Amino acid sequence: MAVTLTDSILKDLHLRMVRIRRFEETAGKMMESGKIPGALHLYVGEEAVASGVMAHLSNDDQITSTHRGHGHLIAKGGEFSPMMAELFGKATGYCKGKGGSMHISNMKLGMLGANGIVGGGPPIAMGAAFSNKFRKTKNVACCFFGDGASNEGSFHEAANMAGLYKLPVIFVCENNGYGEYTPQRNHQAIVDVADRAAGYGMPGVIVDGMDVVAVFEAAGEAIARARAGEGPTLLECKTYRFYDHVGVRGMGLTYRTDDELEEWKKKDPIDLFEGRLKEQGILSEAEIQAVHAAVAADIEKAIAFAESSPFPDPSAIEQDVYA
Amino acid sequence: MAEAVATKARTLTYVAAINEAVRTVLKEQPNAFAAGEDIGGAGGVYGYFHGLQAEFGADRVYDTPISEKGIIGLGVGAGATGCRPILDLMFMDFMGECMDEIANQLAKMRYMFGGAANLPVTVLTMAGAGASLAAQHSQSLEAWVCHLPGVKICMPCTPYDAKGLIISAARDDNPVFVVLNKMSLAMKGEVPEETYAIPLSKANIVRPGSNYTIVAWGRMVHEAVAAANKLKDLGVDAEVIDPRTLQPFDTATVVQSVKKTHRAMIVHEAVRFGGFGGEIASQIQELAFDYLDAPIGRVGAPFSPVPFSPALEKHYVPNADAIVAGVKAQLGI
């Protein structure tokens, strides 16, 4: 699908990425300061993937996410305040404080949840796509998963059924080179997860996951195919996690080298894209700074909202178990 | 084999009642579909989907690959987005293939999302020993499901209950497991032609009695009734209660009975140790301790996998004699 890259699309892609980056950096600080309990898996470095895909989706299109899910929800239209409140464990959070980082979700936005189980998302996304087809809509489901999840049986069962039923689903593999702390070469015998598409009768496409425009264009084609009833696609986005599997450390990790991180940081998706926007005269440096400042102000408001919100009452524990 | 043909007295087999219930649901709910292994062209390995694909079409009744994670996941994703899936998990033993989708996704999604998701998913599955299907096709694993907040579970023991409970399950906005028993498939019973629903919250007093309470579910209800008939000569007038639904469990009906009878036995086909009967016994003693004249008894399968040989299996599965023996031992009679 040849979507013309208008200025407004480019600015939209930029804003989505900046919103994710700023939110994640702040959330990391909040976790370090003890305001956010539990485990945070941050999306810093991978922003181009969520942003490039989500720019094609409406609220009636669904996504399933991963344990690294904040970026997906932000790109899908999630608001900072209920997100931050959820991470704080507050009653005003998107999940009333019952889900937290690993289960953050918003059904109205078609965001069927971050997922604490690696490989939890693919069967659910396949089911949502089945529903779209069954209900005769033109909606699609996008399933975000990692190179690690591509080794789970759930991925293979879901991919097979999606291919079999020609479902409107896009399996978006965020191949960041690591399944938790294990490098890809030590967890699978292939380099390109996209190779696995052939086994399920769907195209496998590889794209530079640090280039938001490349992701946007490739995702656009896959989503157009799905909407046209031509079935699923496996879209592999080569990307990198700037932080650790959990938390905010980037440097000095035992399972990867600082040099490797530095090499990938040269491909920072936001830096690269901002350079391009300036070069093409779409945004000036001052305008870019204004975008960052506006996002930062929104995040400050979200922190204030989260901090001033009440914790859930203990009486809420046994609520929402059943309809 | 499973075609729902009404006789004059409108007697149906268990398998035909299941079939009629699914047909009823597919008729009354346009967003319902059925999906499972071999259910379309073949009508299911036990035949209870017989004729449904021909009647409703391949876009209502789906053959799936042998992919239990995929089947349950299909139900989660479709159920959360406006469909009402009826899934067939051929044997309950296969929960091992899809326990993440059951326990971590289906059961928890609503809660994790702060109540924002509905999961109107019905799972039909087959339990029970007695057909020499050995350790991986004979288990009664209802305790696994009962331990999962977010899921309901019922175990119909007659054709009448099968139809009424499946219809209730499919109308419920929660995930509901309907655990069927493979040894009951040919059982006959009266089933009204009209649509009816049996509430997923109310126990059935199958046989009233005055001085003993037997709580049994699934196929064990029939063994319990047979045992009660034998016990009558010993001066034991047993009330047999079939909870029908294990989650939610109708504790009130059971406790009320025990307050009247003062003695109780819990019977299930599942392995006795760690079985759901322990939970019921515990609830009775918590709520009716002062009314008890004897320790609460339990009858269940031995602590072993289900054996293959008929010579072993017939001793493995609890029956009326085992219940009678248990009652006699408990009462010292």
Side-chain angles (χ1 to χ4, degrees):
Chain A
M1 184 177 69
V3 175
T4 313
L5 281 167
T6 61
D7 286 6
S8 75
I9 288 174
L10 294 169
K11 287 178 188 173
D12 172 80
L13 292 171
H14 176 246
L15 177 61
R16 285 178 205 254
M17 289 200 292
V18 172
R19 280 172 59 81
I20 296 170
R21 175 70 56 92
R22 289 283 182 170
F23 182 89
E24 292 292 68
E25 287 174 346
T26 310
K29 288 186 186 120
M30 294 290 115
M31 185 194 70
E32 285 197 309
S33 69
K35 286 182 178 170
I36 292 178
L40 283 193
H41 307 84
L42 298 168
Y43 197 66
V44 173
E46 304 184 15
E47 295 89 345
V49 182
S51 302
V53 173
M54 244 65 88
H56 295 282
L57 304 182
S58 78
N59 290 351
D60 295 326
D61 297 311
Q62 307 91 354
I63 64 164
T64 60
S65 174
T66 68
H67 53 288
R68 204 173 303 290
H70 311 162
H72 302 132
L73 178 51
I74 293 169
K76 194 79 168 60
E79 292 173 29
F80 288 155
S81 288
M83 281 189 71
M84 195 63 86
E86 186 61 32
L87 300 189
F88 274 59
K90 297 298 184 78
T92 54
Y94 268 144
C95 308
K96 304 183 193 168
K98 288 176 175 170
S101 169
M102 276 193 280
H103 308 297
I104 201 157
S105 60
N106 187 295
M107 295 297 289
K108 287 177 188 156
L109 297 172
M111 200 300 197
L112 307 185
N115 209 307
I117 305 296
V118 172
I124 300 172
M126 180 270 292
F130 184 98
S131 167
N132 292 336
K133 187 170 180 177
F134 181 84
R135 292 182 292 115
K136 298 184 168 42
T137 72
K138 289 285 177 198
N139 293 116
V140 301
C142 290
C143 169
F144 293 86
F145 68 107
D147 47 304
S150 78
N151 298 329
E152 289 278 8
S154 55
F155 163 71
H156 296 271
E157 292 194 12
N160 182 54
M161 288 170 74
L164 174 71
Y165 298 136
K166 277 193 133 186
L167 298 181
V169 56
I170 296 87
F171 294 99
V172 182
C173 179
E174 299 174 318
N175 183 350
N176 63 18
Y178 291 85
E180 297 188 12
Y181 305 100
T182 301
Q184 189 191 1
R185 64 179 177 278
N186 290 350
H187 77 62
Q188 54 192 193
I190 54 173
V191 172
D192 298 322
V193 174
D195 291 350
R196 294 192 163 165
Y200 304 113
M202 69 177 87
V205 179
I206 299 170
V207 68
D208 178 357
M210 307 304 269
D211 179 346
V212 71
V213 170
V215 173
F216 177 81
E217 288 176 338
E221 279 185 34
I223 290 167
R225 281 190 68 245
R227 290 201 203 284
E230 291 167 30
T233 300
L234 172 48
L235 176 62
E236 179 182 8
C237 306
K238 305 280 193 186
T239 185
Y240 198 76
R241 198 174 71 200
F242 288 180
Y243 292 168
D244 202 350
H245 166 59
V246 181
V248 297
R249 271 182 77 193
M251 305 289 273
L253 303 175
T254 56
Y255 60 92
R256 71 182 194 193
T257 66
D258 290 349
D259 286 349
E260 181 183 283
L261 173 62
E262 291 302 337
E263 280 305 303
W264 277 94
K265 278 195 163 176
K266 289 178 190 164
K267 294 189 273 188
D268 183 313
I270 297 175
D271 288 351
L272 281 183
F273 191 52
E274 288 180 345
R276 187 167 164 180
L277 292 172
K278 282 190 279 190
E279 206 176 279
Q280 295 176 357
I282 293 158
L283 284 177
S284 67
E285 178 61 28
E287 286 168 323
I288 286 168
Q289 290 313 315
V291 169
H292 282 265
V295 169
D298 280 353
I299 288 173
E300 286 307 312
K301 282 184 212 157
I303 292 168
F305 175 80
E307 286 185 331
S308 65
S309 288
F311 281 107
D313 189 86
S315 65
I317 289 175
E318 292 188 70
Q319 291 167 6
D320 302 320
V321 179
Y322 292 97
Chain B
M1 131 188 180
E3 207 159 1
V5 180
T7 61
K8 270 184 191 168
R10 184 45 211 205
T11 295
L12 290 187
T13 60
Y14 189 81
V15 74
I18 300 166
N19 185 274
E20 185 164 286
V22 177
R23 175 181 287 107
T24 301
V25 173
L26 289 173
K27 273 185 189 160
E28 77 178 14
Q29 299 181 6
N31 278 358
F33 64 83
E37 295 156 12
D38 306 320
I39 73 168
V45 291
Y46 285 112
Y48 50 81
F49 287 94
H50 180 86
L52 295 180
Q53 191 183 59
E55 184 175 341
F56 292 93
D59 58 353
R60 295 295 299 286
V61 180
Y62 293 83
D63 275 320
T64 67
I66 303 169
S67 299
E68 289 80 10
K69 295 170 193 55
I71 293 167
I72 304 293
L74 170 66
V76 176
T81 57
C83 296
R84 303 187 71 88
I86 302 165
L87 309 174
D88 191 51
L89 183 60
M90 192 188 291
F91 288 93
M92 194 174 202
D93 314 68
F94 300 171
M95 281 203 299
E97 284 284 346
C98 49
M99 205 53 173
D100 180 67
E101 282 65 33
I102 294 169
N104 284 322
Q105 315 296 342
L106 181 67
K108 295 183 174 62
M109 186 188 264
R110 177 181 177 80
Y111 189 81
M112 295 188 297
F113 293 7
N118 272 358
L119 289 147
V121 180
T122 300
V123 181
L124 305 182
T125 191
M126 192 63 72
S132 279
L133 294 176
Q136 297 171 343
H137 289 74
S138 303
Q139 297 172 88
S140 293
L141 299 173
E142 64 269 21
W144 291 15
V145 180
C146 289
H147 200 59
L148 293 171
V151 179
K152 296 183 180 181
I153 175 171
C154 60
M155 294 186 71
C157 72
T158 63
Y160 178 87
D161 283 13
K163 179 174 172 182
L165 287 169
I166 290 170
I167 288 172
S168 272
R171 288 177 180 174
D172 201 281
D173 280 339
N174 297 286
V176 185
F177 272 68
V178 182
V179 181
L180 306 160
N181 193 294
K182 63 178 75 70
M183 299 308 288
S184 301
L185 290 164
M187 177 190 181
K188 288 178 181 167
E190 285 195 18
V191 179
E193 274 183 57
E194 65 266 25
T195 299
Y196 61 93
I198 298 173
L200 296 171
S201 57
K202 195 76 193 114
N204 182 26
I205 299 173
V206 178
R207 180 191 192 279
S210 61
N211 62 11
Y212 200 91
T213 299
I214 302 177
V215 182
W217 52 84
R219 196 172 66 76
M220 289 300 107
V221 173
H222 310 303
E223 298 298 328
V225 170
N229 292 336
K230 292 182 181 190
L231 287 165
K232 211 170 178 185
D233 296 340
L234 301 170
V236 177
D237 180 26
E239 181 149 289
V240 177
I241 299 177
D242 172 9
R244 281 179 165 158
T245 304
L246 299 184
Q247 183 57 254
F249 190 86
D250 182 1
T251 306
T253 296
V254 171
V255 167
Q256 196 179 9
S257 174
V258 174
K259 283 181 177 176
K260 175 179 72 178
T261 65
H262 308 294
R263 294 171 296 186
M265 174 76 75
I266 325 294
V267 182
H268 55 58
E269 194 180 326
V271 171
R272 183 173 177 272
F273 186 97
F276 192 62
E279 171 65 27
I280 304 313
S282 184
Q283 294 215 15
I284 293 170
Q285 68 87 14
E286 282 169 13
L287 296 166
F289 184 77
D290 290 341
Y291 295 85
L292 288 171
D293 288 343
I296 301 162
R298 287 183 296 150
V299 170
F303 196 67
S304 80
V306 183
F308 162 69
S309 169
L312 297 174
E313 194 183 32
K314 73 178 179 188
H315 292 290
Y316 179 90
V317 185
N319 58 19
D321 289 342
I323 298 166
V324 169
V327 172
K328 286 167 76 174
Q330 179 198 27
L331 301 181
I333 56 176

Short mmCIF file of all heavy atoms in Angstrom, two decimals, chain A residues 149-183:
data_model
loop_
_atom_site.label_atom_id
_atom_site.label_comp_id
_atom_site.label_asym_id
_atom_site.label_seq_id
_atom_site.Cartn_x
_atom_site.Cartn_y
_atom_site.Cartn_z
N ALA A 149 9.93 -15.17 22.41
CA ALA A 149 8.59 -15.76 22.33
C ALA A 149 8.43 -16.62 21.08
O ALA A 149 7.58 -17.50 21.03
CB ALA A 149 7.52 -14.67 22.35
N SER A 150 9.26 -16.37 20.07
CA SER A 150 9.13 -17.16 18.84
C SER A 150 9.55 -18.60 19.06
O SER A 150 9.39 -19.44 18.18
CB SER A 150 9.94 -16.53 17.69
OG SER A 150 11.32 -16.83 17.82
N ASN A 151 10.09 -18.90 20.24
CA ASN A 151 10.42 -20.29 20.59
C ASN A 151 9.33 -20.97 21.40
O ASN A 151 9.47 -22.14 21.74
CB ASN A 151 11.73 -20.34 21.39
CG ASN A 151 12.90 -19.82 20.59
OD1 ASN A 151 12.93 -19.93 19.36
ND2 ASN A 151 13.87 -19.24 21.26
N GLU A 152 8.30 -20.23 21.75
CA GLU A 152 7.21 -20.82 22.53
C GLU A 152 6.23 -21.54 21.59
O GLU A 152 5.90 -21.04 20.51
CB GLU A 152 6.44 -19.73 23.30
CG GLU A 152 7.22 -19.12 24.47
CD GLU A 152 7.15 -19.98 25.74
OE1 GLU A 152 6.63 -21.11 25.69
OE2 GLU A 152 7.62 -19.48 26.78
N GLY A 153 5.72 -22.67 22.05
CA GLY A 153 4.75 -23.41 21.25
C GLY A 153 3.52 -22.60 20.93
O GLY A 153 2.91 -22.76 19.86
N SER A 154 3.14 -21.71 21.84
CA SER A 154 1.94 -20.90 21.62
C SER A 154 2.05 -20.07 20.34
O SER A 154 1.07 -19.90 19.62
CB SER A 154 1.70 -19.99 22.82
OG SER A 154 2.85 -19.20 23.06
N PHE A 155 3.25 -19.55 20.08
CA PHE A 155 3.44 -18.77 18.85
C PHE A 155 3.17 -19.65 17.63
O PHE A 155 2.48 -19.25 16.68
CB PHE A 155 4.85 -18.19 18.77
CG PHE A 155 5.23 -17.75 17.38
CD1 PHE A 155 4.65 -16.63 16.81
CD2 PHE A 155 6.12 -18.50 16.61
CE1 PHE A 155 4.96 -16.26 15.50
CE2 PHE A 155 6.43 -18.13 15.30
CZ PHE A 155 5.84 -17.00 14.75
N HIS A 156 3.70 -20.85 17.66
CA HIS A 156 3.59 -21.73 16.49
C HIS A 156 2.15 -22.19 16.26
O HIS A 156 1.68 -22.26 15.12
CB HIS A 156 4.56 -22.90 16.63
CG HIS A 156 5.99 -22.45 16.62
ND1 HIS A 156 6.72 -22.31 15.46
CD2 HIS A 156 6.79 -22.00 17.63
CE1 HIS A 156 7.91 -21.82 15.76
NE2 HIS A 156 7.98 -21.63 17.06
N GLU A 157 1.45 -22.49 17.35
CA GLU A 157 0.05 -22.89 17.19
C GLU A 157 -0.79 -21.73 16.64
O GLU A 157 -1.64 -21.91 15.77
CB GLU A 157 -0.52 -23.38 18.54
CG GLU A 157 0.13 -24.68 18.98
CD GLU A 157 -0.59 -25.38 20.12
OE1 GLU A 157 -1.73 -25.00 20.45
OE2 GLU A 157 0.00 -26.33 20.67
N ALA A 158 -0.53 -20.55 17.16
CA ALA A 158 -1.29 -19.37 16.72
C ALA A 158 -0.96 -19.04 15.27
O ALA A 158 -1.86 -18.73 14.47
CB ALA A 158 -0.98 -18.18 17.62
N ALA A 159 0.30 -19.12 14.90
CA ALA A 159 0.70 -18.79 13.53
C ALA A 159 0.10 -19.80 12.55
O ALA A 159 -0.38 -19.43 11.47
CB ALA A 159 2.22 -18.77 13.41
N ASN A 160 0.11 -21.06 12.95
CA ASN A 160 -0.46 -22.08 12.07
C ASN A 160 -1.96 -21.84 11.85
O ASN A 160 -2.46 -21.92 10.72
CB ASN A 160 -0.24 -23.47 12.67
CG ASN A 160 -0.78 -24.58 11.78
OD1 ASN A 160 -0.44 -24.65 10.60
ND2 ASN A 160 -1.65 -25.41 12.32
N MET A 161 -2.67 -21.55 12.92
CA MET A 161 -4.11 -21.34 12.79
C MET A 161 -4.41 -20.04 12.02
O MET A 161 -5.36 -19.98 11.23
CB MET A 161 -4.78 -21.33 14.17
CG MET A 161 -4.82 -22.74 14.77
SD MET A 161 -5.34 -22.82 16.50
CE MET A 161 -7.09 -22.52 16.38
N ALA A 162 -3.58 -19.03 12.22
CA ALA A 162 -3.77 -17.77 11.47
C ALA A 162 -3.57 -18.01 9.98
O ALA A 162 -4.33 -17.49 9.15
CB ALA A 162 -2.80 -16.71 11.98
N GLY A 163 -2.57 -18.80 9.64
CA GLY A 163 -2.33 -19.12 8.23
C GLY A 163 -3.46 -19.97 7.67
O GLY A 163 -3.96 -19.72 6.56
N LEU A 164 -3.86 -20.97 8.44
CA LEU A 164 -4.91 -21.89 8.01
C LEU A 164 -6.22 -21.14 7.71
O LEU A 164 -6.85 -21.35 6.68
CB LEU A 164 -5.14 -22.94 9.10
CG LEU A 164 -6.31 -23.90 8.91
CD1 LEU A 164 -6.01 -24.89 7.78
CD2 LEU A 164 -6.60 -24.66 10.21
N TYR A 165 -6.62 -20.28 8.65
CA TYR A 165 -7.90 -19.58 8.51
C TYR A 165 -7.77 -18.24 7.76
O TYR A 165 -8.74 -17.51 7.66
CB TYR A 165 -8.51 -19.31 9.89
CG TYR A 165 -8.85 -20.54 10.72
CD1 TYR A 165 -8.52 -20.60 12.07
CD2 TYR A 165 -9.50 -21.65 10.16
CE1 TYR A 165 -8.84 -21.71 12.85
CE2 TYR A 165 -9.82 -22.76 10.92
CZ TYR A 165 -9.49 -22.79 12.27
OH TYR A 165 -9.80 -23.88 13.04
N LYS A 166 -6.54 -17.93 7.31
CA LYS A 166 -6.29 -16.65 6.62
C LYS A 166 -6.80 -15.47 7.44
O LYS A 166 -7.61 -14.65 6.97
CB LYS A 166 -6.95 -16.64 5.24
CG LYS A 166 -6.11 -17.33 4.16
CD LYS A 166 -6.65 -17.01 2.79
CE LYS A 166 -5.54 -16.59 1.85
NZ LYS A 166 -5.98 -16.15 0.56
N LEU A 167 -6.35 -15.38 8.64
CA LEU A 167 -6.87 -14.37 9.56
C LEU A 167 -6.17 -13.03 9.39
O LEU A 167 -4.98 -12.98 9.04
CB LEU A 167 -6.71 -14.86 11.00
CG LEU A 167 -7.47 -16.14 11.35
CD1 LEU A 167 -7.25 -16.51 12.80
CD2 LEU A 167 -8.96 -16.00 11.06
N PRO A 168 -6.89 -11.95 9.68
CA PRO A 168 -6.30 -10.61 9.58
C PRO A 168 -5.44 -10.29 10.81
O PRO A 168 -5.85 -9.56 11.71
CB PRO A 168 -7.52 -9.70 9.50
CG PRO A 168 -8.59 -10.44 10.25
CD PRO A 168 -8.32 -11.90 10.02
N VAL A 169 -4.28 -10.89 10.84
CA VAL A 169 -3.38 -10.68 11.98
C VAL A 169 -1.97 -10.45 11.46
O VAL A 169 -1.56 -11.05 10.46
CB VAL A 169 -3.43 -11.88 12.97
CG1 VAL A 169 -3.13 -13.20 12.29
CG2 VAL A 169 -2.51 -11.67 14.17
N ILE A 170 -1.24 -9.55 12.11
CA ILE A 170 0.15 -9.29 11.77
C ILE A 170 0.98 -9.65 12.99
O ILE A 170 0.79 -9.11 14.07
CB ILE A 170 0.39 -7.80 11.38
CG1 ILE A 170 -0.39 -7.46 10.10
CG2 ILE A 170 1.86 -7.56 11.12
CD1 ILE A 170 -1.80 -7.01 10.31
N PHE A 171 1.84 -10.62 12.82
CA PHE A 171 2.74 -11.02 13.89
C PHE A 171 3.98 -10.12 13.80
O PHE A 171 4.78 -10.28 12.88
CB PHE A 171 3.12 -12.50 13.76
CG PHE A 171 1.96 -13.43 13.97
CD1 PHE A 171 1.28 -13.98 12.89
CD2 PHE A 171 1.54 -13.76 15.26
CE1 PHE A 171 0.20 -14.83 13.09
CE2 PHE A 171 0.47 -14.62 15.46
CZ PHE A 171 -0.21 -15.15 14.37
N VAL A 172 4.08 -9.17 14.71
CA VAL A 172 5.18 -8.21 14.66
C VAL A 172 6.26 -8.67 15.64
O VAL A 172 6.13 -8.53 16.85
CB VAL A 172 4.70 -6.80 15.04
CG1 VAL A 172 5.86 -5.80 14.92
CG2 VAL A 172 3.53 -6.36 14.16
N CYS A 173 7.32 -9.26 15.09
CA CYS A 173 8.40 -9.74 15.95
C CYS A 173 9.37 -8.59 16.22
O CYS A 173 9.97 -8.05 15.31
CB CYS A 173 9.13 -10.90 15.28
SG CYS A 173 10.50 -11.50 16.31
N GLU A 174 9.50 -8.26 17.49
CA GLU A 174 10.51 -7.27 17.89
C GLU A 174 11.75 -8.05 18.26
O GLU A 174 11.93 -8.46 19.40
CB GLU A 174 9.98 -6.47 19.09
CG GLU A 174 8.70 -5.70 18.75
CD GLU A 174 8.06 -5.02 19.95
OE1 GLU A 174 8.00 -5.62 21.02
OE2 GLU A 174 7.62 -3.86 19.79
N ASN A 175 12.57 -8.28 17.28
CA ASN A 175 13.79 -9.06 17.52
C ASN A 175 14.87 -8.12 18.06
O ASN A 175 15.53 -7.42 17.30
CB ASN A 175 14.25 -9.75 16.23
CG ASN A 175 15.47 -10.63 16.48
OD1 ASN A 175 16.08 -10.57 17.55
ND2 ASN A 175 15.83 -11.42 15.49
N ASN A 176 14.99 -8.12 19.39
CA ASN A 176 16.01 -7.25 20.00
C ASN A 176 17.28 -8.02 20.34
O ASN A 176 18.14 -7.53 21.07
CB ASN A 176 15.44 -6.51 21.22
CG ASN A 176 15.04 -7.46 22.34
OD1 ASN A 176 15.46 -8.62 22.37
ND2 ASN A 176 14.22 -6.98 23.26
N GLY A 177 17.37 -9.23 19.81
CA GLY A 177 18.62 -9.97 19.94
C GLY A 177 18.79 -10.74 21.23
O GLY A 177 19.78 -11.47 21.39
N TYR A 178 17.83 -10.58 22.13
CA TYR A 178 17.96 -11.25 23.42
C TYR A 178 16.60 -11.79 23.89
O TYR A 178 15.60 -11.08 23.85
CB TYR A 178 18.50 -10.30 24.50
CG TYR A 178 19.95 -9.93 24.26
CD1 TYR A 178 20.28 -8.88 23.42
CD2 TYR A 178 20.98 -10.67 24.85
CE1 TYR A 178 21.60 -8.56 23.15
CE2 TYR A 178 22.30 -10.36 24.59
CZ TYR A 178 22.61 -9.31 23.73
OH TYR A 178 23.93 -9.02 23.46
N GLY A 179 16.60 -13.04 24.33
CA GLY A 179 15.45 -13.57 25.04
C GLY A 179 15.77 -13.46 26.51
O GLY A 179 16.58 -14.23 27.04
N GLU A 180 15.19 -12.47 27.15
CA GLU A 180 15.60 -12.08 28.50
C GLU A 180 17.10 -11.76 28.51
O GLU A 180 17.51 -10.75 27.95
CB GLU A 180 15.22 -13.15 29.54
CG GLU A 180 13.71 -13.34 29.63
CD GLU A 180 13.28 -14.24 30.77
OE1 GLU A 180 14.10 -14.55 31.66
OE2 GLU A 180 12.10 -14.61 30.77
N TYR A 181 17.92 -12.67 29.08
CA TYR A 181 19.36 -12.39 29.19
C TYR A 181 20.20 -13.26 28.26
O TYR A 181 21.42 -13.27 28.33
CB TYR A 181 19.84 -12.63 30.63
CG TYR A 181 19.07 -11.84 31.66
CD1 TYR A 181 18.05 -12.41 32.41
CD2 TYR A 181 19.34 -10.49 31.88
CE1 TYR A 181 17.33 -11.69 33.35
CE2 TYR A 181 18.63 -9.75 32.81
CZ TYR A 181 17.63 -10.35 33.55
OH TYR A 181 16.92 -9.63 34.47
N THR A 182 19.51 -14.02 27.39
CA THR A 182 20.24 -14.96 26.54
C THR A 182 20.26 -14.46 25.10
O THR A 182 19.21 -14.19 24.52
CB THR A 182 19.55 -16.35 26.60
OG1 THR A 182 19.56 -16.78 27.97
CG2 THR A 182 20.28 -17.37 25.75
N PRO A 183 21.47 -14.33 24.53
CA PRO A 183 21.55 -13.82 23.16
C PRO A 183 20.90 -14.79 22.18
O PRO A 183 20.85 -15.99 22.40
CB PRO A 183 23.04 -13.68 22.89
CG PRO A 183 23.73 -14.45 23.96
CD PRO A 183 22.79 -14.55 25.12
#
